[in-house]
Coordinates of all heavy atoms in Angstrom, one line a residue:
M1 N 0.9 -1.2 0.1 CA 0.0 -0.1 0.1 C 0.8 1.2 0.0 O 0.4 2.3 -0.5 CB -0.9 0.0 1.1 CG -2.0 0.9 1.3 SD -3.1 0.6 0.0 CE -4.4 1.8 0.3
V2 N 2.1 1.2 0.7 CA 2.9 2.3 0.8 C 3.4 2.7 -0.6 O 3.5 3.9 -1.0 CB 4.1 2.1 1.7 CG1 5.0 3.2 1.8 CG2 3.4 1.9 3.2
F3 N 4.0 1.7 -1.3 CA 4.6 1.9 -2.7 C 3.5 2.3 -3.6 O 3.9 3.2 -4.4 CB 5.2 0.6 -3.1 CG 6.3 0.1 -2.3 CD1 6.1 -1.0 -1.5 CD2 7.5 0.8 -2.2 CE1 7.3 -1.4 -0.7 CE2 8.5 0.5 -1.4 CZ 8.4 -0.7 -0.6
V4 N 2.3 1.8 -3.7 CA 1.3 2.4 -4.5 C 0.8 3.8 -4.2 O 0.7 4.7 -5.1 CB 0.0 1.5 -4.5 CG1 -1.1 1.9 -5.3 CG2 0.4 0.0 -5.0
S5 N 0.9 4.1 -2.9 CA 0.6 5.5 -2.6 C 1.7 6.4 -3.1 O 1.5 7.6 -3.5 CB 0.4 5.7 -1.0 OG -0.7 4.8 -0.5
L6 N 3.0 6.1 -2.7 CA 4.1 6.9 -3.3 C 4.1 7.0 -4.9 O 4.2 8.1 -5.3 CB 5.4 6.2 -3.0 CG 5.8 6.3 -1.5 CD1 7.1 5.4 -1.3 CD2 6.1 7.7 -1.1
W7 N 3.6 5.9 -5.5 CA 3.6 6.0 -7.0 C 2.5 7.0 -7.4 O 2.7 7.8 -8.4 CB 3.2 4.6 -7.5 CG 2.9 4.7 -9.1 CD1 3.8 4.7 -10.0 CD2 1.6 4.4 -9.5 NE1 3.0 4.7 -11.3 CE2 1.8 4.5 -10.9 CE3 0.4 4.2 -8.9 CZ2 0.7 4.4 -11.8 CZ3 -0.9 4.1 -9.9 CH2 -0.6 4.2 -11.2
A8 N 1.3 6.9 -6.7 CA 0.1 7.8 -7.1 C 0.6 9.2 -6.9 O 0.2 10.2 -7.7 CB -1.1 7.4 -6.2
V9 N 1.2 9.5 -5.7 CA 1.7 11.0 -5.5 C 2.8 11.3 -6.6 O 2.6 12.5 -7.1 CB 2.2 11.1 -4.1 CG1 2.8 12.5 -3.9 CG2 1.1 10.9 -3.1
A10 N 3.6 10.6 -6.8 CA 4.6 10.9 -7.9 C 4.0 11.0 -9.2 O 4.4 11.9 -10.0 CB 5.7 9.8 -8.0
R11 N 3.1 10.3 -9.5 CA 2.4 10.3 -10.9 C 1.6 11.6 -11.0 O 1.6 12.2 -12.0 CB 1.6 9.1 -11.0 CG 1.2 8.8 -12.5 CD 2.4 8.4 -13.2 NE 1.8 8.2 -14.6 CZ 2.2 7.2 -15.4 NH1 3.2 6.5 -15.1 NH2 1.7 7.1 -16.6
C12 N 1.0 12.1 -9.8 CA 0.1 13.3 -9.8 C 1.0 14.5 -10.0 O 0.7 15.5 -10.7 CB -0.8 13.3 -8.7 SG -2.1 12.3 -8.7
L13 N 2.2 14.5 -9.3 CA 3.1 15.7 -9.3 C 3.9 15.8 -10.6 O 4.4 16.9 -10.9 CB 3.8 15.7 -8.1 CG 3.2 15.6 -6.8 CD1 4.1 15.6 -5.7 CD2 2.3 16.9 -6.7
S14 N 4.1 14.7 -11.3 CA 5.0 14.8 -12.5 C 4.1 15.2 -13.8 O 2.9 14.8 -13.7 CB 5.7 13.5 -12.8 OG 4.7 12.5 -13.0
P15 N 4.7 16.0 -14.5 CA 3.8 16.4 -15.8 C 3.5 15.2 -16.8 O 4.4 14.4 -16.9 CB 4.7 17.5 -16.5 CG 6.1 17.2 -16.0 CD 6.0 16.6 -14.7
P16 N 2.4 15.3 -17.3 CA 2.2 14.2 -18.2 C 3.0 14.2 -19.6 O 3.4 15.3 -19.9 CB 0.7 14.2 -18.6 CG 0.4 15.8 -18.3 CD 1.3 16.1 -17.3
P17 N 3.4 13.1 -20.2 CA 4.2 13.3 -21.2 C 3.4 14.0 -22.4 O 2.1 13.8 -22.5 CB 4.5 11.8 -21.7 CG 3.5 11.1 -21.0 CD 3.1 11.8 -19.7
T18 N 4.1 14.7 -23.3 CA 3.4 15.4 -24.3 C 3.6 14.5 -25.6 O 4.6 14.3 -26.1 CB 3.9 16.7 -24.6 OG1 5.4 16.7 -24.8 CG2 3.8 17.6 -23.4
L19 N 2.4 14.1 -26.1 CA 2.5 13.3 -27.4 C 1.4 14.1 -28.3 O 0.2 14.0 -28.1 CB 1.9 11.9 -27.2 CG 2.9 11.1 -26.2 CD1 2.1 9.8 -26.0 CD2 4.2 10.9 -26.8
G20 N 2.0 14.7 -29.3 CA 1.2 15.4 -30.1 C 0.2 14.7 -31.1 O -0.8 15.1 -31.4
W21 N 0.6 13.3 -31.4 CA -0.3 12.6 -32.3 C -1.4 11.9 -31.5 O -2.3 11.3 -32.1 CB 0.5 11.5 -33.0 CG 1.4 10.7 -32.1 CD1 2.6 10.9 -31.6 CD2 1.1 9.4 -31.6 NE1 3.0 10.0 -30.8 CE2 2.1 9.0 -30.7 CE3 -0.2 8.7 -31.5 CZ2 2.1 7.9 -30.1 CZ3 -0.1 7.5 -30.9 CH2 0.9 7.0 -30.1
Q22 N -1.3 11.8 -30.3 CA -2.5 11.2 -29.5 C -3.3 12.3 -28.8 O -3.0 13.1 -28.1 CB -1.8 10.3 -28.3 CG -1.4 9.0 -28.8 CD -1.0 8.0 -27.8 OE1 -0.8 8.6 -26.6 NE2 -1.1 6.7 -28.0
V23 N -4.6 12.2 -29.1 CA -5.5 13.2 -28.5 C -6.3 12.7 -27.3 O -6.3 13.3 -26.2 CB -6.6 13.7 -29.6 CG1 -7.6 14.6 -29.1 CG2 -5.8 14.1 -30.9
D24 N -6.7 11.4 -27.3 CA -7.5 10.9 -26.4 C -6.8 9.7 -25.8 O -6.7 8.7 -26.4 CB -9.0 10.3 -26.7 CG -9.8 11.4 -27.4 OD1 -9.8 12.7 -26.8 OD2 -10.5 11.2 -28.4
Y25 N -6.3 10.0 -24.6 CA -5.4 8.9 -23.8 C -5.5 9.3 -22.4 O -5.7 10.3 -22.0 CB -4.1 8.8 -24.4 CG -3.2 10.0 -24.1 CD1 -2.4 10.1 -22.8 CD2 -3.2 11.1 -24.9 CE1 -1.5 11.3 -22.5 CE2 -2.3 12.1 -24.7 CZ -1.6 12.2 -23.5 OH -0.8 13.3 -23.2
C26 N -5.3 8.2 -21.7 CA -5.1 8.5 -20.2 C -3.6 8.5 -19.9 O -3.0 7.5 -20.1 CB -5.8 7.2 -19.5 SG -5.7 7.4 -17.7
S27 N -3.3 9.5 -19.4 CA -1.8 9.7 -19.0 C -1.3 8.8 -18.0 O -0.1 8.6 -18.0 CB -1.5 11.2 -18.6 OG -2.2 11.5 -17.4
W28 N -2.1 8.2 -17.3 CA -1.6 7.2 -16.4 C -1.4 5.9 -16.9 O -0.8 5.1 -16.3 CB -2.7 7.0 -15.2 CG -2.8 8.1 -14.2 CD1 -2.9 9.5 -14.6 CD2 -2.6 8.1 -12.8 NE1 -2.9 10.2 -13.4 CE2 -2.8 9.3 -12.3 CE3 -2.4 7.1 -11.9 CZ2 -2.6 9.6 -11.0 CZ3 -2.3 7.5 -10.6 CH2 -2.4 8.7 -10.1
M29 N -1.7 5.7 -18.2 CA -1.5 4.3 -18.8 C -0.3 4.3 -19.7 O 0.2 3.2 -20.1 CB -2.7 4.1 -19.8 CG -4.0 3.9 -19.1 SD -4.0 2.3 -17.9 CE -3.8 1.0 -18.9
L30 N 0.3 5.4 -19.8 CA 1.8 5.6 -20.5 C 2.8 5.2 -19.7 O 2.8 5.4 -18.4 CB 1.7 6.9 -21.2 CG 0.8 7.4 -22.2 CD1 0.8 8.8 -22.5 CD2 0.7 6.5 -23.3
A31 N 3.8 4.7 -20.1 CA 5.0 4.3 -19.3 C 5.7 5.5 -18.8 O 5.7 6.6 -19.5 CB 5.9 3.4 -20.3
H32 N 6.0 5.4 -17.5 CA 6.8 6.6 -16.9 C 7.8 6.1 -15.9 O 7.7 4.9 -15.4 CB 5.4 7.4 -16.1 CG 6.0 8.8 -15.7 ND1 6.3 9.0 -14.4 CD2 6.0 9.9 -16.3 CE1 6.6 10.3 -14.2 NE2 6.4 10.9 -15.3
W33 N 8.6 7.0 -15.5 CA 9.7 6.5 -14.5 C 9.1 6.1 -13.2 O 9.8 5.3 -12.4 CB 10.8 7.7 -14.5 CG 10.3 9.0 -13.8 CD1 9.7 9.9 -14.4 CD2 10.0 9.2 -12.3 NE1 9.2 10.9 -13.5 CE2 9.4 10.4 -12.3 CE3 10.4 8.6 -11.2 CZ2 9.2 11.1 -11.1 CZ3 10.0 9.0 -10.0 CH2 9.5 10.3 -10.0
S34 N 8.1 6.8 -12.7 CA 7.5 6.4 -11.5 C 6.9 5.0 -11.3 O 6.6 4.6 -10.3 CB 6.5 7.5 -11.2 OG 5.3 7.5 -12.0
D35 N 6.7 4.5 -12.5 CA 6.2 3.0 -12.5 C 7.1 2.1 -11.7 O 6.7 1.1 -11.1 CB 6.0 2.5 -13.9 CG 4.8 3.2 -14.7 OD1 4.1 3.8 -13.9 OD2 4.7 3.2 -15.9
W36 N 8.4 2.4 -11.7 CA 9.3 1.6 -10.8 C 9.2 1.7 -9.4 O 9.6 0.8 -8.7 CB 10.7 1.9 -11.2 CG 11.2 1.5 -12.6 CD1 11.3 2.1 -13.8 CD2 11.4 0.1 -12.9 NE1 11.6 1.3 -14.7 CE2 11.7 0.0 -14.3 CE3 11.5 -1.0 -12.3 CZ2 12.1 -1.1 -15.1 CZ3 11.8 -2.2 -12.9 CH2 12.1 -2.3 -14.3
L37 N 8.2 2.5 -8.9 CA 8.1 2.8 -7.5 C 7.2 1.4 -7.1 O 7.4 1.2 -5.9 CB 7.4 4.1 -7.2 CG 8.2 5.3 -7.3 CD1 7.4 6.5 -7.1 CD2 9.4 5.2 -6.4
F38 N 6.4 0.9 -7.8 CA 5.7 -0.2 -7.4 C 6.1 -1.4 -8.1 O 5.8 -2.6 -7.6 CB 4.2 0.0 -7.6 CG 3.7 0.1 -9.0 CD1 3.2 -1.2 -9.6 CD2 3.7 1.1 -9.8 CE1 2.9 -1.2 -10.9 CE2 3.1 1.2 -10.9 CZ 2.7 0.0 -11.6
Q39 N 6.7 -1.4 -9.3 CA 7.3 -2.5 -10.0 C 8.4 -3.2 -9.3 O 8.6 -4.3 -9.3 CB 7.5 -2.2 -11.4 CG 6.2 -2.0 -12.2 CD 6.6 -1.6 -13.7 OE1 7.7 -1.2 -13.9 NE2 5.5 -1.4 -14.5
A40 N 9.4 -2.3 -8.9 CA 10.7 -2.8 -8.2 C 10.5 -3.6 -6.9 O 11.0 -4.7 -6.8 CB 11.6 -1.6 -8.0
P41 N 9.6 -3.2 -6.0 CA 9.4 -4.0 -4.8 C 8.7 -5.4 -5.2 O 9.0 -6.4 -4.6 CB 8.4 -3.2 -4.0 CG 8.7 -1.8 -4.4 CD 9.0 -1.8 -5.8
A42 N 7.8 -5.3 -6.2 CA 7.2 -6.6 -6.6 C 8.3 -7.5 -7.2 O 8.2 -8.7 -6.9 CB 6.0 -6.3 -7.5
L43 N 9.1 -7.0 -7.9 CA 10.2 -7.8 -8.5 C 11.1 -8.4 -7.5 O 11.6 -9.6 -7.5 CB 10.9 -7.1 -9.5 CG 10.1 -6.8 -10.9 CD1 11.0 -5.9 -11.7 CD2 9.8 -8.1 -11.6
V44 N 11.4 -7.6 -6.5 CA 12.3 -8.0 -5.4 C 11.5 -9.2 -4.5 O 12.3 -10.2 -4.3 CB 12.7 -6.9 -4.4 CG1 13.3 -7.3 -3.3 CG2 13.5 -5.8 -5.2
V45 N 10.3 -9.0 -4.3 CA 9.6 -10.1 -3.5 C 9.6 -11.3 -4.4 O 9.7 -12.5 -3.8 CB 8.2 -9.5 -3.2 CG1 7.3 -10.7 -2.7 CG2 8.3 -8.5 -2.1
L46 N 9.2 -11.2 -5.8 CA 9.2 -12.5 -6.6 C 10.6 -13.1 -6.6 O 10.7 -14.4 -6.5 CB 8.8 -12.1 -7.9 CG 7.3 -11.8 -8.1 CD1 7.2 -11.3 -9.5 CD2 6.5 -13.0 -7.9
G47 N 11.7 -12.3 -6.6 CA 13.1 -13.0 -6.6 C 13.3 -13.6 -5.3 O 13.9 -14.8 -5.3
I48 N 12.9 -13.0 -4.2 CA 13.2 -13.6 -2.8 C 12.3 -14.8 -2.7 O 12.9 -15.9 -2.3 CB 12.9 -12.6 -1.7 CG1 13.9 -11.4 -1.8 CG2 12.8 -13.2 -0.4 CD1 13.7 -10.3 -0.8
N49 N 11.2 -14.8 -3.1 CA 10.4 -16.0 -3.1 C 10.8 -17.2 -3.9 O 10.7 -18.3 -3.6 CB 8.8 -15.7 -3.4 CG 8.1 -15.0 -2.5 OD1 8.5 -15.0 -1.3 ND2 7.1 -14.3 -2.8
S50 N 11.4 -16.9 -5.1 CA 12.1 -18.0 -6.0 C 13.2 -18.5 -5.2 O 13.4 -19.7 -5.4 CB 12.6 -17.3 -7.2 OG 11.3 -16.8 -7.9
V51 N 14.0 -17.8 -4.6 CA 15.2 -18.3 -3.8 C 14.7 -19.2 -2.7 O 15.2 -20.2 -2.5 CB 15.9 -17.2 -3.3 CG1 16.9 -17.6 -2.4 CG2 16.7 -16.3 -4.4
F52 N 13.7 -18.7 -2.0 CA 13.1 -19.6 -0.9 C 12.6 -20.9 -1.5 O 12.8 -22.0 -0.9 CB 12.1 -18.9 -0.2 CG 12.6 -17.9 0.9 CD1 11.9 -16.7 1.1 CD2 13.7 -18.2 1.7 CE1 12.4 -15.8 1.9 CE2 14.1 -17.3 2.6 CZ 13.5 -16.1 2.7
L53 N 11.9 -20.9 -2.7 CA 11.4 -22.0 -3.3 C 12.5 -23.0 -3.6 O 12.5 -24.3 -3.4 CB 10.4 -21.6 -4.5 CG 9.9 -22.8 -5.3 CD1 9.1 -23.6 -4.4 CD2 9.4 -22.3 -6.5
I54 N 13.6 -22.4 -4.2 CA 14.7 -23.3 -4.6 C 15.3 -24.0 -3.4 O 15.6 -25.1 -3.5 CB 15.6 -22.4 -5.4 CG1 15.0 -22.1 -6.8 CG2 17.0 -23.2 -5.7 CD1 15.9 -21.1 -7.6
V55 N 15.6 -23.3 -2.3 CA 16.1 -23.8 -1.1 C 15.2 -24.9 -0.5 O 15.6 -25.9 -0.2 CB 16.4 -22.7 -0.1 CG1 16.8 -23.3 1.2 CG2 17.4 -21.8 -0.6
I56 N 13.8 -24.6 -0.5 CA 12.9 -25.7 0.1 C 13.0 -26.9 -0.9 O 13.0 -28.0 -0.2 CB 11.6 -25.0 0.1 CG1 11.5 -24.0 1.2 CG2 10.6 -26.2 0.3 CD1 10.3 -23.2 1.2
M57 N 13.1 -26.8 -2.1 CA 13.1 -27.9 -3.0 C 14.4 -28.7 -2.8 O 14.4 -29.9 -2.8 CB 13.0 -27.5 -4.4 CG 11.5 -27.1 -4.8 SD 11.3 -26.3 -6.3 CE 12.1 -27.6 -7.4
W58 N 15.5 -27.9 -2.5 CA 16.8 -28.6 -2.4 C 16.8 -29.3 -1.1 O 17.3 -30.5 -0.9 CB 17.7 -27.4 -2.4 CG 19.3 -28.0 -2.2 CD1 19.9 -28.8 -3.0 CD2 20.2 -27.4 -1.2 NE1 21.2 -29.0 -2.4 CE2 21.4 -28.2 -1.4 CE3 20.1 -26.6 -0.2 CZ2 22.6 -28.1 -0.6 CZ3 21.3 -26.3 0.6 CH2 22.3 -27.1 0.4
V59 N 16.3 -28.8 0.0 CA 16.3 -29.4 1.2 C 15.3 -30.6 1.2 O 15.8 -31.7 1.8 CB 16.0 -28.4 2.4 CG1 15.6 -29.1 3.7 CG2 17.0 -27.4 2.7
S60 N 14.3 -30.4 0.6 CA 13.3 -31.5 0.5 C 14.0 -32.7 -0.3 O 13.9 -33.9 0.0 CB 12.1 -31.1 -0.2 OG 11.2 -32.1 -0.5
T61 N 14.7 -32.4 -1.4 CA 15.4 -33.5 -2.2 C 16.5 -34.2 -1.3 O 16.5 -35.4 -1.3 CB 15.9 -33.0 -3.6 OG1 15.0 -32.3 -4.2 CG2 16.7 -33.9 -4.2
L62 N 17.2 -33.4 -0.6 CA 18.3 -34.1 0.3 C 17.6 -34.9 1.3 O 18.0 -35.9 1.6 CB 19.0 -32.9 1.0 CG 20.0 -32.2 0.0 CD1 20.8 -31.1 0.8 CD2 20.9 -33.1 -0.6
Y63 N 16.6 -34.5 2.0 CA 15.8 -35.3 2.9 C 15.4 -36.6 2.4 O 15.5 -37.7 2.9 CB 14.8 -34.6 3.6 CG 13.8 -35.3 4.5 CD1 14.4 -35.5 5.9 CD2 12.5 -35.8 4.2 CE1 13.7 -36.2 6.8 CE2 11.9 -36.4 5.1 CZ 12.5 -36.7 6.4 OH 11.8 -37.4 7.3
H64 N 14.8 -36.4 1.1 CA 14.2 -37.6 0.5 C 15.2 -38.5 0.2 O 15.2 -39.8 0.3 CB 13.5 -37.3 -0.8 CG 12.9 -38.5 -1.5 ND1 11.9 -39.2 -1.3 CD2 13.4 -38.8 -2.8 CE1 11.7 -40.1 -2.1 NE2 12.6 -39.9 -3.1
L65 N 16.4 -38.1 -0.3 CA 17.5 -39.0 -0.7 C 18.1 -39.6 0.6 O 18.5 -40.9 0.6 CB 18.6 -38.2 -1.4 CG 18.3 -37.7 -2.9 CD1 19.4 -36.8 -3.3 CD2 18.1 -38.9 -3.7
A66 N 18.2 -39.0 1.7 CA 18.7 -39.5 3.0 C 17.7 -40.4 3.6 O 18.3 -41.6 3.9 CB 19.0 -38.3 3.9
T67 N 16.5 -40.3 3.4 CA 15.5 -41.3 4.0 C 15.5 -42.5 3.1 O 15.3 -43.5 3.6 CB 14.2 -40.7 4.2 OG1 13.7 -40.1 3.0 CG2 14.1 -39.7 5.3
E68 N 15.7 -42.3 1.8 CA 15.7 -43.4 0.9 C 16.9 -44.2 1.1 O 16.9 -45.6 1.1 CB 15.6 -42.9 -0.5 CG 15.5 -44.0 -1.5 CD 15.3 -43.3 -2.8 OE1 14.2 -42.8 -3.3 OE2 16.3 -43.5 -3.7
K69 N 17.9 -43.7 1.3 CA 19.3 -44.4 1.6 C 19.1 -45.2 2.8 O 19.7 -46.3 3.0 CB 20.4 -43.4 1.7 CG 21.8 -44.0 1.9 CD 22.7 -43.0 1.9 CE 24.1 -43.5 2.1 NZ 25.2 -42.4 2.2
N70 N 18.6 -44.7 3.9 CA 18.4 -45.4 5.2 C 17.5 -46.5 5.1 O 17.5 -47.5 5.6 CB 17.9 -44.3 6.3 CG 19.0 -43.5 6.7 OD1 20.2 -43.9 6.5 ND2 18.6 -42.3 7.3
S71 N 16.4 -46.4 4.2 CA 15.4 -47.4 3.9 C 16.0 -48.6 3.2 O 15.6 -49.9 3.6 CB 14.2 -47.0 3.2 OG 14.5 -46.6 1.9
Y72 N 17.1 -48.5 2.5 CA 17.7 -49.6 1.9 C 18.6 -50.4 2.9 O 18.7 -51.6 2.7 CB 18.6 -49.1 0.7 CG 17.9 -48.8 -0.4 CD1 18.2 -47.7 -1.2 CD2 16.8 -49.6 -1.0 CE1 17.4 -47.2 -2.4 CE2 16.0 -49.2 -2.0 CZ 16.4 -48.1 -2.8 OH 15.8 -47.7 -3.8
K73 N 19.0 -49.7 3.9 CA 19.9 -50.3 4.9 C 19.1 -51.4 5.8 O 19.7 -52.4 6.2 CB 20.6 -49.4 5.8 CG 21.7 -48.7 5.0 CD 22.3 -47.7 5.9 CE 23.5 -46.8 5.2 NZ 24.1 -45.8 6.1
S74 N 17.9 -51.2 6.0 CA 17.2 -51.9 6.9 C 16.5 -53.1 6.4 O 16.5 -53.4 5.2 CB 16.2 -51.1 7.7 OG 15.3 -50.5 6.8

């Protein structure tokens, strides 16, 4: 919520891009530098979650291999 609020304030305070060939458009739909205020945190969270997923799969695979090895011994 914080990042979206910052983005909205930055988008309101920055001037809209001037495009002479477009008459009817919503200036909030055009690409702008302030879009990174909410896109960057989302990308960071996706990256961190991907790392956690890889670690969980790695530990799960090691656990499975260790228990499988022990089951052959008995």
Side-chain angles (χ1 to χ4, degrees):
M1 188 74 171
V2 173
F3 296 110
V4 174
S5 300
L6 287 173
W7 171 75
V9 170
R11 196 67 181 218
C12 287
L13 296 178
S14 64
T18 56
L19 298 174
W21 55 272
Q22 282 187 336
V23 178
D24 296 326
Y25 67 91
C26 178
S27 63
W28 285 56
M29 296 301 292
L30 298 174
H32 194 263
W33 64 267
S34 64
D35 293 342
W36 284 104
L37 290 174
F38 72 91
Q39 290 174 349
L43 291 174
V44 168
V45 167
L46 285 172
I48 291 171
N49 284 340
S50 297
V51 169
F52 282 138
L53 177 64
I54 290 169
V55 169
I56 288 169
M57 290 171 49
W58 180 56
V59 169
S60 175
T61 303
L62 290 178
Y63 177 76
H64 176 71
L65 291 175
T67 55
E68 187 176 287
K69 184 179 176 182
N70 288 338
S71 67
Y72 285 136
K73 289 182 179 179
S74 53

